[in-house]
Amino acid sequence: MFGSKPKKAEDRRYYLLPGQGRGARRKHRQQFYIAILVGCFSAAALGLAIWVFNQT
């Protein structure tokens, strides 16, 4: 009476929307790697700029 209700099969069902398949995973992984590279380059450029300004 006070226990948890049994889950229906409908509660465990999920749907993939368009763009959530294998191609989307590959695209997200590629965007992640590009974001990491851009972050590394911008951090290096900012660090170089700070270093140059501190040298003068």
Side-chain angles (χ1 to χ4, degrees):
M1 181 172 167
F2 294 111
S4 63
K5 296 180 182 178
K7 294 193 175 207
K8 299 177 187 175
E10 295 292 323
D11 292 340
R12 292 186 300 262
R13 184 180 297 171
Y14 67 96
Y15 297 96
L16 287 177
L17 298 172
Q20 290 182 327
R22 253 180 292 154
R25 282 189 227 124
R26 186 174 3 123
K27 181 180 173 186
H28 291 157
R29 192 177 324 123
Q30 182 183 21
Q31 289 175 347
F32 177 74
Y33 290 141
I34 290 171
I36 294 294
L37 284 174
V38 168
C40 288
F41 283 129
S42 60
L46 182 63
L48 180 65
I50 290 172
W51 181 77
V52 168
F53 286 129
N54 281 333
Q55 292 298 314
T56 57

